[in-house]
Amino acid sequence: MKETKVEATSDILAELVVKGMQERKASDIVVMNLKSLKNAVSDYFVIASASSDTQLDAIASSIEEEVHKAIGQNPWQTEGRINKEWVLLDYVDVVAHVFLKDKREFYALEELWGDAKIQHVESV
């Protein structure tokens, strides 16, 4: 049986990433719209915090499951699964970042991309 891939816009992909984060109770979820920024590396950064390395891994897995289930897409690249402090899931147009809380404060991605439109997602 041939698996069909559905082309998803970056907007839909960002929503799926958020849903995956919410499924595992990620905290402080932020969607950064980078579309209007010159030289931006993707359309969206979706950032969330985890309270433990176990939750960090569960959130990353949930994102992958949610995106694959909905549109059949896997991340182009993943980083940080071994260190379990900051996991990055790169879907090219959307990059998901899941941090342990102290690492998120240290790297402060929201400040690096300060010109981006930032949307804070309510916890479910």
Side-chain angles (χ1 to χ4, degrees):
M1 178 182 247
K2 187 176 179 181
E3 185 177 319
T4 58
K5 286 191 176 182
V6 177
E7 286 297 317
T9 67
S10 58
D11 299 335
I12 292 169
L13 187 52
E15 289 175 17
L16 292 168
V17 167
V18 168
K19 185 176 178 187
M21 290 173 168
Q22 290 174 324
E23 287 290 321
R24 295 295 179 259
K25 308 292 187 225
S27 61
D28 196 19
I29 301 171
V30 171
V31 178
M32 299 178 67
N33 185 331
L34 307 172
K35 289 180 181 180
S36 63
L37 302 182
K38 189 175 180 177
N39 300 324
V41 294
S42 67
D43 288 348
Y44 291 97
F45 277 2
V46 185
I47 305 168
S49 296
S51 57
S52 69
D53 60 350
T54 304
Q55 185 188 25
L56 182 129
D57 196 40
I59 293 167
S61 294
S62 178
I63 293 166
E64 289 177 314
E65 291 168 17
E66 201 63 47
V67 171
H68 192 271
K69 180 175 64 176
I71 60 173
Q73 188 173 339
N74 292 317
W76 175 69
Q77 189 168 350
T78 62
E79 297 287 336
R81 281 262 163 99
I82 295 171
N83 293 339
K84 293 188 179 187
E85 294 178 344
W86 172 8
V87 174
L88 180 143
L89 302 170
D90 186 349
Y91 288 95
V92 182
D93 292 332
V94 177
V95 180
H97 301 269
V98 185
F99 287 95
L100 288 179
K101 290 180 182 184
D102 62 328
K103 295 300 176 189
R104 182 171 179 177
E105 291 171 13
F106 179 79
Y107 288 104
L109 287 186
E110 291 98 329
E111 293 175 26
L112 289 176
W113 295 93
D115 293 344
K117 295 177 192 166
I118 297 177
Q119 173 193 357
H120 296 271
V121 178
E122 295 291 323
S123 299
V124 286

Short mmCIF file of all heavy atoms in Angstrom, two decimals, residues 17-52:
data_model
loop_
_atom_site.label_atom_id
_atom_site.label_comp_id
_atom_site.label_asym_id
_atom_site.label_seq_id
_atom_site.Cartn_x
_atom_site.Cartn_y
_atom_site.Cartn_z
N VAL A 17 2.08 21.08 15.33
CA VAL A 17 3.18 21.05 16.32
C VAL A 17 2.64 21.49 17.68
O VAL A 17 2.93 20.85 18.70
CB VAL A 17 4.36 21.94 15.85
CG1 VAL A 17 5.35 22.17 16.98
CG2 VAL A 17 5.05 21.30 14.65
N VAL A 18 1.86 22.56 17.70
CA VAL A 18 1.28 23.03 18.97
C VAL A 18 0.40 21.94 19.58
O VAL A 18 0.47 21.67 20.78
CB VAL A 18 0.47 24.33 18.75
CG1 VAL A 18 -0.38 24.66 19.98
CG2 VAL A 18 1.41 25.49 18.42
N LYS A 19 -0.41 21.30 18.76
CA LYS A 19 -1.29 20.23 19.25
C LYS A 19 -0.47 19.10 19.88
O LYS A 19 -0.82 18.59 20.95
CB LYS A 19 -2.16 19.70 18.12
CG LYS A 19 -3.19 18.69 18.56
CD LYS A 19 -4.09 18.28 17.41
CE LYS A 19 -5.08 17.22 17.88
NZ LYS A 19 -5.87 16.69 16.76
N GLY A 20 0.61 18.72 19.22
CA GLY A 20 1.50 17.69 19.77
C GLY A 20 2.10 18.10 21.10
O GLY A 20 2.23 17.29 22.02
N MET A 21 2.45 19.37 21.22
CA MET A 21 3.00 19.88 22.48
C MET A 21 1.94 19.84 23.58
O MET A 21 2.21 19.44 24.71
CB MET A 21 3.51 21.31 22.30
CG MET A 21 4.75 21.43 21.46
SD MET A 21 5.17 23.17 21.14
CE MET A 21 6.83 22.99 20.49
N GLN A 22 0.73 20.26 23.23
CA GLN A 22 -0.34 20.30 24.22
C GLN A 22 -0.73 18.90 24.69
O GLN A 22 -1.11 18.73 25.85
CB GLN A 22 -1.57 21.00 23.64
CG GLN A 22 -1.36 22.48 23.45
CD GLN A 22 -2.52 23.16 22.74
OE1 GLN A 22 -3.13 22.58 21.84
NE2 GLN A 22 -2.82 24.38 23.14
N GLU A 23 -0.61 17.91 23.83
CA GLU A 23 -0.95 16.53 24.19
C GLU A 23 -0.12 16.02 25.36
O GLU A 23 -0.57 15.17 26.11
CB GLU A 23 -0.76 15.60 22.99
CG GLU A 23 -1.79 15.74 21.91
CD GLU A 23 -3.16 15.23 22.32
OE1 GLU A 23 -3.25 14.20 23.01
OE2 GLU A 23 -4.15 15.90 21.97
N ARG A 24 1.09 16.54 25.52
CA ARG A 24 1.98 16.09 26.59
C ARG A 24 2.23 17.19 27.62
O ARG A 24 3.23 17.21 28.31
CB ARG A 24 3.30 15.59 26.03
CG ARG A 24 3.16 14.35 25.17
CD ARG A 24 2.67 13.16 25.99
NE ARG A 24 2.53 11.98 25.17
CZ ARG A 24 1.36 11.53 24.70
NH1 ARG A 24 0.25 12.18 24.98
NH2 ARG A 24 1.30 10.45 23.96
N LYS A 25 1.29 18.14 27.68
CA LYS A 25 1.29 19.18 28.71
C LYS A 25 2.55 20.05 28.72
O LYS A 25 3.06 20.43 29.77
CB LYS A 25 1.09 18.58 30.10
CG LYS A 25 -0.11 17.66 30.23
CD LYS A 25 -1.40 18.43 30.11
CE LYS A 25 -2.58 17.52 30.42
NZ LYS A 25 -3.67 17.65 29.50
N ALA A 26 3.04 20.40 27.53
CA ALA A 26 4.15 21.34 27.45
C ALA A 26 3.70 22.67 28.05
O ALA A 26 2.52 23.03 27.98
CB ALA A 26 4.57 21.54 26.00
N SER A 27 4.61 23.41 28.63
CA SER A 27 4.26 24.70 29.23
C SER A 27 4.86 25.84 28.41
O SER A 27 5.80 25.66 27.65
CB SER A 27 4.73 24.77 30.68
OG SER A 27 6.13 24.64 30.75
N ASP A 28 4.27 27.01 28.59
CA ASP A 28 4.75 28.25 27.98
C ASP A 28 5.00 28.10 26.47
O ASP A 28 6.07 28.39 25.97
CB ASP A 28 6.03 28.71 28.70
CG ASP A 28 6.37 30.16 28.41
OD1 ASP A 28 5.47 30.92 27.97
OD2 ASP A 28 7.54 30.53 28.60
N ILE A 29 3.96 27.64 25.76
CA ILE A 29 4.08 27.45 24.31
C ILE A 29 3.98 28.80 23.61
O ILE A 29 3.07 29.59 23.87
CB ILE A 29 2.99 26.50 23.78
CG1 ILE A 29 3.09 25.13 24.47
CG2 ILE A 29 3.09 26.35 22.26
CD1 ILE A 29 1.93 24.19 24.17
N VAL A 30 4.93 29.05 22.71
CA VAL A 30 4.99 30.30 21.96
C VAL A 30 5.15 29.96 20.48
O VAL A 30 5.98 29.13 20.12
CB VAL A 30 6.18 31.16 22.43
CG1 VAL A 30 6.39 32.35 21.53
CG2 VAL A 30 5.99 31.61 23.86
N VAL A 31 4.34 30.62 19.65
CA VAL A 31 4.47 30.49 18.20
C VAL A 31 5.05 31.79 17.68
O VAL A 31 4.46 32.85 17.86
CB VAL A 31 3.11 30.19 17.54
CG1 VAL A 31 3.27 30.10 16.02
CG2 VAL A 31 2.49 28.92 18.10
N MET A 32 6.21 31.71 17.07
CA MET A 32 6.87 32.88 16.51
C MET A 32 6.73 32.86 15.00
O MET A 32 7.24 31.97 14.34
CB MET A 32 8.35 32.89 16.91
CG MET A 32 8.57 32.94 18.39
SD MET A 32 10.32 32.88 18.83
CE MET A 32 10.87 34.43 18.17
N ASN A 33 6.00 33.84 14.46
CA ASN A 33 5.80 33.95 13.02
C ASN A 33 6.97 34.75 12.45
O ASN A 33 7.12 35.94 12.71
CB ASN A 33 4.47 34.64 12.75
CG ASN A 33 4.13 34.69 11.28
OD1 ASN A 33 5.02 34.72 10.42
ND2 ASN A 33 2.85 34.71 10.98
N LEU A 34 7.79 34.07 11.66
CA LEU A 34 8.99 34.69 11.09
C LEU A 34 8.82 35.05 9.61
O LEU A 34 9.78 35.49 8.97
CB LEU A 34 10.18 33.72 11.23
CG LEU A 34 10.46 33.17 12.63
CD1 LEU A 34 11.53 32.10 12.57
CD2 LEU A 34 10.87 34.28 13.57
N LYS A 35 7.62 34.87 9.09
CA LYS A 35 7.39 35.05 7.65
C LYS A 35 7.80 36.43 7.13
O LYS A 35 8.30 36.55 6.02
CB LYS A 35 5.91 34.81 7.31
CG LYS A 35 5.48 33.39 7.39
CD LYS A 35 4.00 33.30 7.04
CE LYS A 35 3.48 31.90 7.13
NZ LYS A 35 2.04 31.85 6.78
N SER A 36 7.57 37.45 7.91
CA SER A 36 7.84 38.81 7.43
C SER A 36 9.28 39.25 7.66
O SER A 36 9.66 40.35 7.25
CB SER A 36 6.89 39.80 8.12
OG SER A 36 7.13 39.80 9.51
N LEU A 37 10.09 38.41 8.28
CA LEU A 37 11.47 38.79 8.57
C LEU A 37 12.40 38.40 7.44
O LEU A 37 12.35 37.27 6.94
CB LEU A 37 11.95 38.12 9.87
CG LEU A 37 11.13 38.42 11.12
CD1 LEU A 37 11.76 37.72 12.31
CD2 LEU A 37 11.03 39.90 11.36
N LYS A 38 13.24 39.32 7.06
CA LYS A 38 14.23 39.05 6.03
C LYS A 38 15.27 38.07 6.59
O LYS A 38 15.67 38.17 7.74
CB LYS A 38 14.90 40.36 5.61
CG LYS A 38 15.78 40.22 4.41
CD LYS A 38 16.32 41.57 3.98
CE LYS A 38 17.19 41.38 2.76
NZ LYS A 38 17.69 42.63 2.25
N ASN A 39 15.68 37.13 5.78
CA ASN A 39 16.69 36.13 6.14
C ASN A 39 16.25 35.16 7.24
O ASN A 39 17.09 34.55 7.90
CB ASN A 39 18.01 36.79 6.55
CG ASN A 39 18.60 37.63 5.45
OD1 ASN A 39 18.50 37.28 4.27
ND2 ASN A 39 19.20 38.75 5.80
N ALA A 40 14.96 35.01 7.45
CA ALA A 40 14.48 34.04 8.44
C ALA A 40 14.73 32.63 7.91
O ALA A 40 14.63 32.38 6.71
CB ALA A 40 13.00 34.24 8.71
N VAL A 41 15.06 31.73 8.81
CA VAL A 41 15.40 30.37 8.42
C VAL A 41 14.17 29.49 8.18
O VAL A 41 14.29 28.43 7.58
CB VAL A 41 16.32 29.71 9.47
CG1 VAL A 41 17.66 30.42 9.52
CG2 VAL A 41 15.67 29.70 10.84
N SER A 42 13.02 29.91 8.67
CA SER A 42 11.78 29.17 8.45
C SER A 42 10.61 30.13 8.61
O SER A 42 10.80 31.30 8.95
CB SER A 42 11.66 27.99 9.42
OG SER A 42 11.50 28.46 10.73
N ASP A 43 9.40 29.62 8.40
CA ASP A 43 8.20 30.46 8.57
C ASP A 43 7.83 30.61 10.04
O ASP A 43 7.34 31.66 10.45
CB ASP A 43 7.02 29.87 7.81
CG ASP A 43 7.14 30.00 6.31
OD1 ASP A 43 8.03 30.73 5.84
OD2 ASP A 43 6.35 29.36 5.59
N TYR A 44 8.01 29.54 10.80
CA TYR A 44 7.63 29.55 12.21
C TYR A 44 8.66 28.86 13.08
O TYR A 44 9.25 27.85 12.66
CB TYR A 44 6.30 28.80 12.44
CG TYR A 44 5.09 29.47 11.88
CD1 TYR A 44 4.58 29.11 10.64
CD2 TYR A 44 4.41 30.45 12.60
CE1 TYR A 44 3.45 29.70 10.13
CE2 TYR A 44 3.28 31.06 12.09
CZ TYR A 44 2.80 30.68 10.85
OH TYR A 44 1.67 31.28 10.34
N PHE A 45 8.84 29.38 14.27
CA PHE A 45 9.47 28.67 15.39
C PHE A 45 8.35 28.44 16.39
O PHE A 45 7.59 29.36 16.71
CB PHE A 45 10.55 29.51 16.08
CG PHE A 45 11.91 29.49 15.44
CD1 PHE A 45 12.17 28.79 14.28
CD2 PHE A 45 12.95 30.21 16.02
CE1 PHE A 45 13.44 28.80 13.70
CE2 PHE A 45 14.21 30.21 15.47
CZ PHE A 45 14.46 29.51 14.31
N VAL A 46 8.21 27.22 16.84
CA VAL A 46 7.26 26.91 17.90
C VAL A 46 8.08 26.42 19.07
O VAL A 46 8.84 25.45 18.96
CB VAL A 46 6.22 25.85 17.46
CG1 VAL A 46 5.18 25.65 18.55
CG2 VAL A 46 5.54 26.26 16.15
N ILE A 47 7.96 27.11 20.19
CA ILE A 47 8.83 26.88 21.34
C ILE A 47 7.97 26.49 22.55
O ILE A 47 6.92 27.06 22.78
CB ILE A 47 9.64 28.14 21.68
CG1 ILE A 47 10.42 28.61 20.44
CG2 ILE A 47 10.59 27.89 22.84
CD1 ILE A 47 11.02 29.99 20.57
N ALA A 48 8.47 25.51 23.31
CA ALA A 48 7.77 25.09 24.52
C ALA A 48 8.79 24.65 25.56
O ALA A 48 9.95 24.37 25.25
CB ALA A 48 6.81 23.95 24.23
N SER A 49 8.31 24.58 26.80
CA SER A 49 9.15 24.14 27.91
C SER A 49 8.65 22.81 28.46
O SER A 49 7.45 22.53 28.44
CB SER A 49 9.14 25.17 29.04
OG SER A 49 9.70 26.38 28.60
N ALA A 50 9.60 22.04 28.98
CA ALA A 50 9.30 20.78 29.65
C ALA A 50 9.90 20.84 31.04
O ALA A 50 10.92 21.50 31.26
CB ALA A 50 9.89 19.61 28.88
N SER A 51 9.28 20.15 31.98
CA SER A 51 9.77 20.21 33.36
C SER A 51 10.77 19.11 33.69
O SER A 51 11.42 19.16 34.73
CB SER A 51 8.59 20.15 34.34
OG SER A 51 7.84 18.99 34.11
N SER A 52 10.93 18.12 32.80
CA SER A 52 11.90 17.05 33.03
C SER A 52 12.38 16.51 31.69
O SER A 52 11.75 16.74 30.65
CB SER A 52 11.27 15.92 33.84
OG SER A 52 10.29 15.25 33.06
#
